[in-house]
Amino acid sequence: MKRRRSRSSHRIELYAIVTNQFMTNVEDFLKSKGVEFILHEHPAVFTCEEAEKYCGDIPGLACKNLLLKGKKSGRYFLVVLPAEKRADLKKIGETVGDKQITFASPEALLEKLGLTPGTVSPFGLLNDKNHEVEVYIDQKVYYAKIVSFHPNRNTASLELSGNMFRKFLQAIENKTKVIDL
């Protein structure tokens, strides 16, 4: 039985193809800012479980990256936490000062960060030209010796030392806060 894609998912894919040619190249940006990294190519991964399977040999703390939205405020938050931690939306909402939060839609993800589901990472902030997305990073990620994230595509990961990750965060203009989740 052949599955039909919804018009919405087709529009998202098409928009992503067009948008990707205008996205900031992550590796070029990092090099221009003196942020050192190691590139690891791997099969496409969409979940933390798949990442563990295909990327388990990549050094560093495995992370999950969530784009969330305040239901009433309309604010957007990129929350970065260790992959093994459960995302407690109630606690995150209290932490960011927006009691009712939800996962952002795929359309919002594309609009705000130029990304599609499965590719979310702090590097998507390079596409947030108006710096509207607020960034909340779990302290375990922020102070990790090594971290790795997708470079806006889920077929690779960039390994960075903790110092290089913090240097990247200083180079972007989004409001960033280190929290304990």
Side-chain angles (χ1 to χ4, degrees):
M1 178 178 193
K2 190 174 179 181
R3 293 183 76 185
R4 297 186 80 195
R5 282 193 264 170
S6 71
R7 288 179 193 238
S8 177
S9 69
H10 181 70
R11 278 195 306 267
I12 291 170
E13 282 182 30
L14 187 58
Y15 183 74
I17 291 167
V18 172
T19 303
N20 280 339
Q21 44 185 320
F22 303 107
M23 286 175 46
T24 301
N25 181 292
V26 175
E27 291 109 281
D28 289 346
F29 177 85
L30 295 177
K31 288 175 187 173
S32 77
K33 300 297 181 185
V35 176
E36 299 171 4
F37 61 89
I38 299 171
L39 173 68
H40 297 273
E41 299 282 350
H42 52 71
V45 294
F46 294 91
T47 65
C48 289
E49 292 77 23
E50 288 176 339
E52 188 176 318
K53 178 179 178 182
Y54 295 112
C55 310
D57 60 334
I58 297 173
L61 180 65
C63 301
K64 67 173 80 169
N65 306 277
L66 310 172
L67 185 65
L68 305 173
K69 179 183 180 186
K71 285 184 180 181
K72 291 184 180 178
S73 69
R75 294 165 53 209
Y76 285 90
F77 315 96
L78 177 65
V79 178
V80 183
L81 61 157
E84 79 273 359
K85 270 196 179 179
R86 185 179 154 274
D88 181 342
L89 294 185
K90 184 177 179 181
K91 183 175 181 180
I92 293 170
E94 291 169 0
T95 301
V96 303
D98 208 324
K99 299 280 187 220
Q100 293 184 314
I101 59 172
T102 186
F103 289 96
S105 69
E107 292 85 2
L109 177 58
L110 194 57
E111 177 189 332
K112 297 296 178 186
L113 299 179
L115 301 175
T116 56
T119 63
V120 183
S121 85
F123 300 129
L125 296 164
L126 296 174
N127 301 316
D128 179 18
K129 302 302 182 196
N130 297 323
H131 313 291
E132 297 173 315
V133 178
E134 300 171 38
V135 185
Y136 290 85
I137 302 175
D138 185 88
Q139 63 184 358
K140 187 172 179 184
V141 174
Y142 189 81
Y143 294 111
K145 289 185 179 184
I146 301 173
V147 293
S148 65
F149 302 102
H150 292 314
N152 295 347
R153 60 186 174 99
N154 64 353
T155 56
S157 294
L158 297 182
E159 171 191 339
L160 294 88
S161 72
N163 288 336
M164 290 294 116
F165 177 53
R166 290 184 289 278
K167 188 173 185 177
F168 163 75
L169 292 172
Q170 291 172 350
I172 60 171
E173 296 180 33
N174 294 69
K175 176 183 168 186
T176 302
K177 188 170 182 181
V178 179
I179 57 174
D180 180 18
L181 292 174

